[in-house]
Amino acid sequence: MFMFTIAVLSGAVLIWNLITPGSSIIAMFCAGIIFTLSLAVVLRLMMDPDSIRARQSDAMLKLASQTLECMGEGIDAPAAQRICSLLLPATAAVAVSITDKTQILGYAGYDAQQNPVGSNIRTHATYATLADGEMRVLYTPADIGFAQKPSGIMAAIIVPLVVGHQVQGTLKFYYRRARHISETQKSIAEGFGQLLSTQMAATALEEQTQLATRMELKMLQSQINPHFLFNTINTIASLVRTDPEKARTLLREFAVFYRRTLEDSADLIAFARELEQTQRYFTFEVARFGADRVGMETNVDPRVEEMMVPPFLIQPLVENAVHHAMPAEGKLTVTISGEIDGDDVIVTVEDDGVGMTEEACQNILHPESSTGMGIAVKNVSDRICSYFGEGTRLHVESELGQGTRVQLILKRGALREY
């Protein structure tokens, strides 16, 4: 288009000089050269449009590759700022911005000083895109949501950054004039929005996979530990002479227990299976300590038993109760319950043991809790949040001398989806 415009203008100058008496020969000569060269370029481009598209595609691919390199560790503020700086010269926009749900992560171009990284989102159009996940093409400052009419930005394209079914942020292109928003600009904005969304989803999936694998290995290690192994073997050995039939039963259950432990490495298992494995584990503790010292009660809605959950969800919490809540005298009773509350499922592991202080209760989910009770509870919390999404949480209540209650609140319609 630019070369065509040059050709038309130079042609007009050439014709004007030809029909005007006393025209400058030098001006006519220069106009003729420019007209000839620009016309040759226009004809060349018209005859070989594939070369233009190839160069444009190559430029976009290189830009996409550079963008992906910036997101090696996800889309944090430094990565977002680098991406904005890369995209700005490749479009007709005067400014490019990336936000999360509440703040600006990166901003390059016009009025950058007024939009520092970390400042809150200010335009209602951005909040609307975060709410409904729809791409918006805005042709007036009022549509964008500027409180006062700016001098340099009159139009914008806002693209949602979607991971799964949730909008995690926006990619925004600001333009000096509404006419600068062409179909090409819309395609570029939408394409890079999808590119960033895909990379964010890939990063999140990789993090979840690593988390699930790491948590699973830790939980497996916590199940197959020497103390539990030796205690159970010693218990079975002591029963060989006094109660051979019970020893035989325990040995058979012990084999099933460890086979299930190794098999339950799948992403999801039925809650009924997790409950069965927990009860099988508790059988060994009863054999070791005696029915007068430990006991278990269950009260689980049949619909909860059918739902799919990550493995090693309940058993670590019951182990904690046996290992840390056992009173010096009397009986420890562990109660497992599961109920439906609207679209949510609430699973509770409660004991009437020694309890813990308020400080210990508050610190149990601290990231630095890496031993004993802390690692098991923290791992369970991380696993349910990874599988069931935002809003899912693990809640701990305890009182010295009264016992401890651990509740798993599984959000986002856990029963229906899983």
Side-chain angles (χ1 to χ4, degrees), residues 11-64:
V13 172
L14 180 61
I15 293 173
W16 174 263
N17 279 276
L18 288 172
I19 65 176
T20 303
S23 298
S24 172
I25 299 299
I26 296 177
M28 185 183 303
F29 180 75
C30 292
I33 291 177
I34 295 174
F35 175 76
T36 303
L37 292 176
S38 58
L39 183 61
V41 172
V42 169
L43 292 175
R44 174 72 175 84
L45 295 177
M46 291 179 64
M47 294 176 63
D48 189 15
D50 288 342
S51 64
I52 303 175
R53 287 192 289 266
R55 284 194 294 269
Q56 292 175 338
S57 298
D58 184 62
M60 288 296 106
L61 287 173
K62 288 181 179 178
L63 183 59

Side-chain angles (χ1 to χ4, degrees), residues 17-283:
N17 279 276
L18 288 172
I19 65 176
T20 303
S23 298
S24 172
I25 299 299
I26 296 177
M28 185 183 303
F29 180 75
C30 292
I33 291 177
I34 295 174
F35 175 76
T36 303
L37 292 176
S38 58
L39 183 61
V41 172
V42 169
L43 292 175
R44 174 72 175 84
L45 295 177
M46 291 179 64
M47 294 176 63
D48 189 15
D50 288 342
S51 64
I52 303 175
R53 287 192 289 266
R55 284 194 294 269
Q56 292 175 338
S57 298
D58 184 62
M60 288 296 106
L61 287 173
K62 288 181 179 178
L63 183 59
S65 178
Q66 292 172 332
T67 301
L68 292 177
E69 289 177 2
C70 294
M71 296 181 63
E73 300 298 329
I75 189 164
D76 53 10
Q81 187 61 44
R82 291 195 298 271
I83 292 170
C84 290
S85 299
L86 280 172
L87 295 181
L88 180 61
T91 70
V94 294
V96 178
S97 177
I98 295 176
T99 75
D100 59 14
K101 294 181 179 180
T102 58
Q103 295 181 334
I104 296 174
L105 294 179
Y107 191 102
Y110 178 82
D111 217 13
Q113 293 182 346
Q114 303 301 319
N115 298 275
V117 173
S119 58
N120 292 330
I121 296 171
R122 293 180 294 178
T123 59
H124 67 72
T126 303
Y127 283 113
T129 299
L130 288 168
D132 61 21
E134 297 293 330
M135 174 178 166
R136 281 175 165 75
V137 181
L138 311 164
Y139 295 100
T140 67
D143 291 338
I144 299 173
F146 290 132
Q148 298 179 347
K149 184 177 179 180
S151 59
I153 296 177
M154 297 295 175
I157 299 176
I158 303 179
V159 184
L161 302 179
V162 182
V163 178
H165 299 292
Q166 293 187 338
V167 180
Q168 299 295 338
T170 63
L171 171 63
K172 301 189 288 185
F173 296 84
Y174 292 113
Y175 299 86
R176 198 175 298 279
R177 297 287 183 269
R179 66 173 181 271
H180 294 164
I181 300 180
S182 62
E183 291 302 319
T184 299
Q185 294 300 307
K186 294 178 186 177
S187 298
I188 290 175
E190 186 174 13
F192 276 97
Q194 293 176 351
L195 177 68
L196 296 184
S197 296
T198 301
Q199 185 63 19
M200 289 169 63
T203 302
L205 179 61
E206 182 179 356
E207 290 176 352
Q208 290 183 0
T209 301
Q210 291 175 351
L211 175 64
T213 301
R214 185 166 61 251
M215 294 303 107
E216 181 179 330
L217 289 175
K218 287 183 178 180
M219 295 311 300
L220 283 171
Q221 291 168 357
S222 71
Q223 305 309 312
I224 309 175
N225 64 77
H227 296 294
F228 176 69
L229 179 64
F230 294 150
N231 288 334
T232 303
I233 292 176
N234 287 335
T235 299
I236 295 175
S238 67
L239 291 171
V240 169
R241 291 186 178 181
T242 59
D243 194 343
E245 185 60 32
K246 185 175 182 180
R248 188 180 301 110
T249 301
L250 284 177
L251 188 59
R252 187 165 50 245
E253 288 296 302
F254 192 58
V256 174
F257 174 81
Y258 270 106
R259 185 169 64 250
R260 289 286 178 84
T261 296
L262 296 175
E263 288 175 352
D264 285 348
S265 58
D267 288 341
L268 297 172
I269 62 172
F271 185 88
R273 178 162 177 165
E274 172 68 12
L275 184 60
E276 178 187 1
Q277 184 74 341
T278 302
Q279 291 171 324
R280 184 173 286 110
Y281 155 79
F282 204 81
T283 300

Side-chain angles (χ1 to χ4, degrees), residues 293-294 319-334 350-358 360-361 373 397-405:
R293 290 283 283 144
V294 291
E319 284 194 59
N320 272 342
V322 175
H323 295 164
H324 300 283
M326 179 82 75
E329 297 180 355
K331 183 177 181 178
L332 172 72
T333 301
V334 180
E350 187 174 6
D351 67 70
D352 56 1
V354 298
M356 69 182 83
T357 64
E358 180 66 23
C361 187
M373 190 174 186
E397 295 178 354
S398 187
E399 185 177 347
L400 277 175
Q402 300 298 317
T404 301
R405 172 186 293 177

